[in-house]
Amino acid sequence: MKKLLTIRQVAEITKLSVHTLRYYEQIGLLSSIGRDKNGYRCYSSEDITWIEFLTRLKATGMSINKMIEIAELRRQGDSTLNARRVLMEEHYQEVQEQIADLQKNLDLLAHKIVIYKEMETIYELGQKKKCEE
Amino acid sequence: MKKLLTIRQVAEITKLSVHTLRYYEQIGLLSSIGRDKNGYRCYSSEDITWIEFLTRLKATGMSINKMIEIAELRRQGDSTLNARRVLMEEHYQEVQEQIADLQKNLDLLAHKIVIYKEMETIYELGQKKKCEE
DNA sequence: CCTTGACTTAGAGTTAACTCAAAAGTTTAT
DNA sequence: ATAAACTTTTGAGTTAACTCTAAGTCAAGG
């Protein structure tokens, strides 16, 4: 016995807007979302799981186009499991590199902050001198 | 004796396009770029240093608007050194948190990759069985 | 002298990823 | 039963950060 959810409930659970949920479906990120007798969307718990997976991909900077690619492979069934895993592993590597770059640039900025502090001290000394004059 | 550079040379050094250099100047990221007798831009080594600093801010995900804010403080001189340092420290903290989040999400994806591998094995066993039938 | 190519400007066009609006049908609360 | 709050669709609008185009000026090479 599956319990189905309305678009609003899914929006609350996933923290996406109802707009975005419809948009994701339209561009092919979500497929075969069920409908009730009036054509209202009914989301299953598998749909939620999939949306949460997408959210994680997004949180690691994957583009919508890349996600659509994976969604299309998924639609083709289990024979694409290997292809999907390869894409995921590539993405994993890319993000690891991104994190390393980010940390490197951040360390350089930390050094800049030190320089700011030095310059501040010099500036303050100059101001103090002015006061004394 | 300063040596001045053309926009094209600066584009090569900084890896920004000439378009982008003009755009950055237009929106207030770069100020007081010198001009020669024909109105051609002449960049100084301090300009290059500043552009490279901006590039580092960008590499750590700072928005153009935030960078403009810092550029405007810089234009106001040394009295804004403290304000600028505070902004930088805030940015530093934010990026550290971003990196932590990114790593957390990436670890969750790594787990998903393991699951893919398990599913692949099951699928392959299924296929093998079909062959044997 | 003429063409090639770097430079100038103002302003239009692009891309990603939403985000909203309008018009109409449906469900719920009173 | 009727108003408020949901849902639907199509298609237009938004934002950031570029990116390009057109129309023009200027200097150097053949």
Side-chain angles (χ1 to χ4, degrees):
Chain A
M1 187 69 206
K2 287 175 195 169
K3 52 180 169 187
L4 298 173
L5 299 158
T6 69
I7 196 165
R8 185 150 297 263
Q9 290 170 320
V10 174
E12 274 194 16
I13 293 168
T14 62
K15 314 290 178 195
L16 297 175
S17 71
V18 292
H19 296 302
T20 304
L21 284 170
R22 283 193 280 249
Y23 166 68
Y24 277 7
E25 190 176 341
Q26 188 197 321
I27 62 175
L29 273 184
L30 277 45
S31 47
S32 65
I33 298 296
R35 300 292 179 121
D36 73 6
K37 63 182 179 350
N38 297 311
Y40 286 22
R41 287 171 180 79
C42 300
Y43 293 82
S44 69
S45 61
E46 292 91 69
D47 292 331
I48 306 288
T49 306
W50 175 244
I51 292 166
E52 281 170 349
F53 175 56
L54 291 175
T55 303
R56 201 149 295 134
L57 291 180
K58 192 166 131 51
T60 52
M62 186 178 284
S63 73
I64 294 267
N65 279 345
K66 196 87 181 263
M67 288 195 261
I68 290 174
E69 218 181 295
I70 293 174
E72 266 161 15
L73 285 173
R74 178 170 176 261
R75 232 164 280 139
Q76 288 165 41
D78 285 351
S79 63
T80 65
L81 275 168
N82 182 269
R84 279 183 270 161
R85 180 175 57 80
V86 168
L87 283 176
M88 291 298 302
E89 280 172 348
E90 279 167 15
H91 178 63
Y92 183 86
Q93 285 306 321
E94 281 166 28
V95 178
Q96 279 291 28
E97 281 158 30
Q98 267 176 44
I99 290 175
D101 278 14
L102 210 50
Q103 191 63 58
K104 203 193 70 194
N105 279 300
L106 197 59
D107 291 347
L108 290 167
L109 283 185
H111 179 245
K112 179 80 178 178
I113 290 173
V114 171
I115 290 172
Y116 265 124
K117 277 183 188 159
E118 286 169 14
M119 286 171 72
E120 270 177 76
T121 310
I122 292 165
Y123 175 72
E124 278 156 17
L125 285 174
Q127 289 301 101
K128 204 182 162 190
K129 215 173 165 185
K130 266 188 198 162
C131 285
E132 283 165 1
E133 277 167 5
Chain B
M1 187 70 208
K2 288 173 194 168
K3 53 181 172 190
L4 299 172
L5 299 159
T6 69
I7 197 166
R8 185 149 297 264
Q9 290 170 320
V10 175
E12 274 194 15
I13 293 167
T14 62
K15 314 285 178 200
L16 297 174
S17 71
V18 293
H19 295 303
T20 304
L21 284 170
R22 283 193 280 250
Y23 167 68
Y24 277 7
E25 191 176 339
Q26 189 199 321
I27 62 175
L29 273 185
L30 277 43
S31 46
S32 65
I33 298 297
R35 299 294 178 119
D36 73 5
K37 61 182 182 344
N38 297 312
Y40 288 20
R41 287 171 180 81
C42 300
Y43 294 79
S44 70
S45 61
E46 291 90 72
D47 293 331
I48 306 289
T49 306
W50 175 245
I51 292 166
E52 282 170 349
F53 175 56
L54 291 176
T55 302
R56 202 150 293 135
L57 291 180
K58 192 167 130 53
T60 52
M62 186 179 283
S63 74
I64 293 268
N65 279 345
K66 196 85 182 265
M67 289 194 261
I68 291 173
E69 218 181 296
I70 293 175
E72 266 161 14
L73 286 172
R74 179 171 176 261
R75 231 165 280 141
Q76 289 165 39
D78 285 352
S79 64
T80 64
L81 275 169
N82 182 269
R84 279 184 269 161
R85 180 175 56 81
V86 169
L87 284 177
M88 291 299 302
E89 280 172 349
E90 280 168 16
H91 179 62
Y92 184 87
Q93 285 306 320
E94 281 167 28
V95 178
Q96 280 291 26
E97 280 158 29
Q98 266 177 43
I99 290 175
D101 278 15
L102 208 50
Q103 190 65 57
K104 204 192 70 194
N105 279 299
L106 197 59
D107 292 347
L108 290 167
L109 283 187
H111 179 244
K112 179 78 178 181
I113 290 173
V114 171
I115 291 172
Y116 266 126
K117 277 183 189 160
E118 287 170 12
M119 285 171 71
E120 271 177 75
T121 310
I122 293 165
Y123 175 71
E124 278 155 19
L125 286 174
Q127 289 301 100
K128 204 180 163 193
K129 212 171 167 187
K130 267 187 197 164
C131 285
E132 283 164 2
E133 277 168 7

